[in-house]
Amino acid sequence: MKVVVGNKLEEMDKQALDYALSGYTKVVIDLGTGDGRFVYGSAKQNRRTFFIGIDLLQKQMAVYANKCLREKILNALFAIGSVENLPQELANTADEVHIILPWGTLMQKIVQPKTEVVKRLGSILKVGGRLEILFGYHPDFEPSEAQRLNLAELDESYIRNTVLPTFEDGGFEVIRTLQLDKNALGNVQTTWSKKLAFGKKRPIYRFELTKRK
Ligand SMILES: C[S@@+](CC[C@H](N)C(=O)[O-])C[C@H]1O[C@@H](n2cnc3c(N)ncnc32)[C@H](O)[C@@H]1O
């Protein structure tokens, strides 16, 4: 897989990845990591856990990949990938996968999930591993994006009757779903959570799921 090291892109094979992960008690993947702030902050606070950020965009991830390089943070890695094209080296690797404030096709794949895509998402988790998704949008605030992606209107019944059954079909068990208000974003250590916490009022949903056997 291609990994972002400072401003450079390097190749990392499965053997090198296994070596990097050895000795850590837990592996956490942040899919759609953006600039990688969550990975950087979490890796500094939890030295026994290895954090991997994945995003489509090298340039965005270079922000915190550079900080990790400068500060010699060894338990953080940034890989190029997407929900459509996850690095195969990461199969059955994660104890936790986080998706925090997705946008674009990542949001679309969560709000209008297909069993095949949910299974692909589950493929990077170990059995019993945990998937946490924090998301929300409002067609009034993001009209063009909601329209471009043809996003359904979000409400409790749509989530209960359409979204969650697809995650169950795709191999997950739902632990809990919560509806939060934007103030809850204040505790989330990412760049977009900080931006949206100061923005307009919007419903935020949080799904917690585990990968079944
Ligand atoms: C609103 S940003 C949130 C970034 C970060 N999680 C945060 O909270 O600051 C959404 C991110 O999703 C990424 N993204 C969009 N489509 C994606 C896809 N199909 N697979 C993976 N990431 C995607 C974008 O590149 C962007 O970095």
Side-chain angles (χ1 to χ4, degrees):
M1 64 183 179
K2 298 233 178 312
V3 296
V4 183
V5 182
N7 291 319
K8 289 200 218 123
L9 209 52
E10 293 181 3
E11 193 60 44
M12 184 180 227
D13 65 16
K14 176 83 174 100
Q15 203 183 353
L17 176 70
D18 287 346
Y19 183 73
L21 299 183
S22 61
Y24 289 94
T25 51
K26 216 162 122 181
V27 177
V28 174
I29 292 179
D30 180 28
L31 179 59
T33 194
D35 62 11
R37 179 172 170 172
F38 175 81
V39 168
Y40 166 80
S42 307
K44 274 181 84 150
Q45 274 173 15
N46 306 281
R47 294 291 187 170
R48 305 287 311 278
T49 299
F50 198 101
F51 292 86
I52 304 174
I54 302 178
D55 206 284
L56 298 154
L57 303 173
Q58 175 188 352
K59 234 180 165 177
Q60 278 191 147
M61 287 190 284
V63 176
Y64 281 94
N66 264 308
K67 278 174 95 62
C68 287
L69 189 64
R70 275 200 304 273
E71 296 177 32
K72 298 189 172 51
I73 297 173
L74 300 178
N75 57 328
L77 188 71
F78 298 91
I80 301 287
S82 64
V83 66
E84 295 85 356
N85 195 7
L86 290 163
Q88 58 188 29
E89 293 83 350
L90 295 177
N92 301 309
T93 298
D95 297 277
E96 289 174 22
V97 171
H98 295 258
I99 300 177
I100 306 170
L101 301 171
W103 201 233
T105 57
L106 184 54
M107 171 74 104
Q108 190 182 40
K109 298 277 170 2
I110 286 156
V111 178
Q112 278 148 211
K114 294 202 166 68
T115 308
E116 176 208 337
V117 178
V118 173
K119 282 187 178 159
R120 199 186 306 140
L121 199 51
S123 71
I124 57 175
L125 271 168
K126 295 174 186 165
V127 171
R130 194 176 169 95
L131 172 62
E132 289 192 18
I133 308 175
L134 187 72
F135 71 102
Y137 66 87
H138 198 292
D140 293 349
F141 306 153
E142 290 98 12
S144 58
E145 191 70 346
Q147 213 171 36
R148 182 178 75 81
L149 296 167
N150 198 19
L151 296 180
E153 212 164 303
L154 274 184
D155 60 28
E156 294 273 350
S157 102
Y158 176 76
I159 287 176
R160 196 172 344 103
N161 299 321
T162 306
V163 179
L164 295 175
T166 312
F167 276 87
E168 287 169 334
D169 286 347
F172 284 93
E173 184 184 327
V174 179
I175 305 172
R176 72 174 74 90
T177 63
L178 299 168
Q179 187 175 346
L180 309 165
D181 71 29
K182 75 175 175 78
N183 296 332
L185 294 177
N187 302 323
V188 182
Q189 299 304 315
T190 75
T191 295
W192 274 90
S193 64
K194 303 294 167 222
K195 283 186 194 174
L196 296 184
F198 288 107
K200 296 184 187 118
K201 209 172 155 200
R202 66 176 69 223
I204 299 289
Y205 296 91
R206 182 184 161 106
F207 295 171
E208 297 175 18
L209 311 109
T210 46
K211 180 176 167 176
R212 288 196 313 264
K213 270 194 194 139

